[in-house]
Every structure is written in structure tokens, then in C-alpha cells.
Amino acid sequence: NIRLKDLDQKDKVSELAFDLSLCKSGKPVNSKDISKIFRINSEDKVYYDYAKEIEALNFSGKGFLTGSIDLMFCDNKNKNESRWWILDWKSNWIGTGENSLEKNTCGPNNYSESNMMREMVKHHYLLQANIYSVALHRFLRWRLPNYSPKKHLGGYIYLFLRGVPSEREYEDNSIKKTVKVPGLIINSFNQERLYELDKLLLEGKNE
């Protein structure tokens, strides 16, 4: 149970910019090879099905991949015992009334897990989250003594701002408890997927 407002400055990094070097050797990274990595765990139906969406993007590239992570934070004051998490803010509208002729209805009850996951797939946030995981992995490997991915990596959190209820709304049961806290997608990192994606981005696809 962590509240963002209670995080100490030394326990978080805001707006971390990164430049990931791509394919120092081998062929350029392409969407087909990335899609294979997303099929690693066939029991994870969301990721397995999403792999088709990645392959359909039909891209390739090399050089540097630049980005910025909204927030990274650790969940324990003891850095040796803490896990690090990625948090990304999203303002996606999930509801009705997107034009002036309709009544606006957009709030926590619209942000069920299934609705948010559709947004995660539609806007390729799943791909974004896994690229961010590689950036976090390389950052901690560089900066955290005795770093162990299995021990120190937590996962990713996507916070849909329009779907997060106020404390009052949550406590007085005025919202449907379709998920533990509406507006939040929380997933742990898949270690095998992380390692394979890190390797692919760094080395490219060997001949």
C-alpha cells in the first residue's frame, strides 16, 4: 500500500530520459522479431494475441531509441530489499460524449480492467511498457550495487487519470469494484521476456 504523495524524493526518479543503443551488431531490430518475444509465454493470452499487432506494424530500425519514463520508484526504504517500478500517466477518454451533442459520461466506472486493456493494446502501451522495462533494467544494472533483476525489478503501472476515484468515491461504494482500484493496470515484469528483449535491442538479429 504505497501512496505516491508519500514517496521520498530519494526513492523516485521523475521524467527519466533514456537513449537505448540498438543492434550494435547484427541486423536492424524489426517488428517480427519483437513479436516472437511477446509470444514467449503462451499462457498469457493478452501478450500472445498482442504479438500479432506488433508484427503488423512492420518496422525496423537501428541506432538509438529515445524515450522518457514518467516515474520510477522503489517500494522500500531499504534499497537492497526494495523493488523498482515504472509508472506512466495516461489521460485516455474511456466513456461516451466525445462530441458536443452527447452527454459526457467518463469516470471510474468506465475504467474496468477489460476497457483499460483494450487501450493498452490499441495504443501499443504494452510494447511501451516492455521497452521501459529494458531502460529500467539497464539503469539499475549501472547504478544499483549488487543489482539482481529477480530481486529488484517490480513491474509497471499504467495510471489512467480519468478513471482513478477520489478517496470518498472509493470508500462510500459509489463506484463498481470491477478491479481493486479502477484506473490502474499493474503487472509484474516477465523476466524471460525482459532478457530476450534486452538482448535483441542490444545485438539485433544475428545472421
Side-chain angles (χ1 to χ4, degrees):
N1 295 322
I2 296 176
R3 298 192 302 179
L4 294 179
K5 68 178 183 179
D6 295 333
L7 288 175
D8 195 293
Q9 284 295 327
K10 65 178 180 293
D11 296 329
K12 62 182 180 180
V13 180
S14 300
E15 300 294 339
L16 177 72
F18 63 83
D19 294 293
L20 297 179
S21 58
L22 300 181
C23 48
K24 288 186 174 180
S25 60
K27 296 190 296 184
V29 176
N30 64 67
S31 53
K32 185 175 182 178
D33 292 328
I34 293 177
S35 71
K36 292 177 182 177
I37 292 173
F38 275 68
R39 292 188 175 98
I40 283 177
N41 182 4
S42 61
E43 294 179 0
D44 190 334
K45 191 174 186 307
V46 172
Y47 267 90
Y48 195 81
D49 291 345
Y50 175 61
K52 301 173 187 175
E53 303 292 330
I54 295 178
E55 187 170 358
L57 291 174
N58 193 27
F59 66 80
S60 66
K62 62 189 305 182
F64 288 92
L65 177 62
T66 299
S68 177
I69 300 173
D70 287 344
L71 182 68
M72 291 175 8
F73 68 91
C74 60
D75 58 13
N76 193 308
K77 295 292 184 183
N78 183 343
K79 297 298 187 296
N80 192 48
E81 299 298 326
S82 65
R83 294 180 302 164
W84 284 83
W85 296 79
I86 289 167
L87 187 145
D88 201 73
W89 320 95
K90 297 300 180 187
S91 59
N92 303 49
W93 176 282
I94 302 178
T96 61
E98 292 184 299
N99 64 62
S100 59
L101 299 179
E102 297 177 303
K103 181 180 179 180
N104 292 329
T105 58
C106 179
N109 285 328
N110 299 100
Y111 288 77
S112 64
E113 185 171 11
S114 59
N115 283 344
M116 290 187 290
M117 284 308 301
R118 276 195 289 271
E119 294 293 295
M120 295 288 289
V121 170
K122 177 181 178 181
H123 299 287
H124 297 289
Y125 297 155
L126 291 177
L127 177 58
Q128 180 188 55
N130 281 267
I131 290 172
Y132 284 0
S133 73
V134 172
L136 174 62
H137 170 60
R138 294 186 186 181
F139 177 79
L140 293 178
R141 189 170 57 195
W142 170 44
R143 298 295 297 272
L144 186 66
N146 303 313
Y147 168 62
S148 165
K150 187 175 182 178
K151 181 178 181 180
H152 294 117
L153 284 182
Y156 60 84
I157 302 169
Y158 274 66
L159 193 156
F160 289 81
L161 296 168
R162 299 177 190 272
V164 177
S166 65
E167 290 186 35
R168 180 180 174 181
E169 286 177 314
Y170 192 74
E171 291 172 357
D172 67 10
N173 293 317
S174 63
I175 59 171
K176 300 173 185 177
K177 301 297 178 62
T178 53
V179 292
K180 189 173 182 180
V181 179
L184 293 179
I185 289 289
I186 303 175
N187 277 321
S188 57
F189 293 128
N190 180 292
Q191 298 288 318
E192 185 179 1
R193 185 182 300 124
L194 169 66
Y195 296 145
E196 290 300 319
L197 184 57
D198 181 35
K199 181 180 179 182
L200 176 65
L201 294 180
L202 183 63
E203 301 176 0
K205 183 70 173 178
N206 292 325
E207 298 287 357

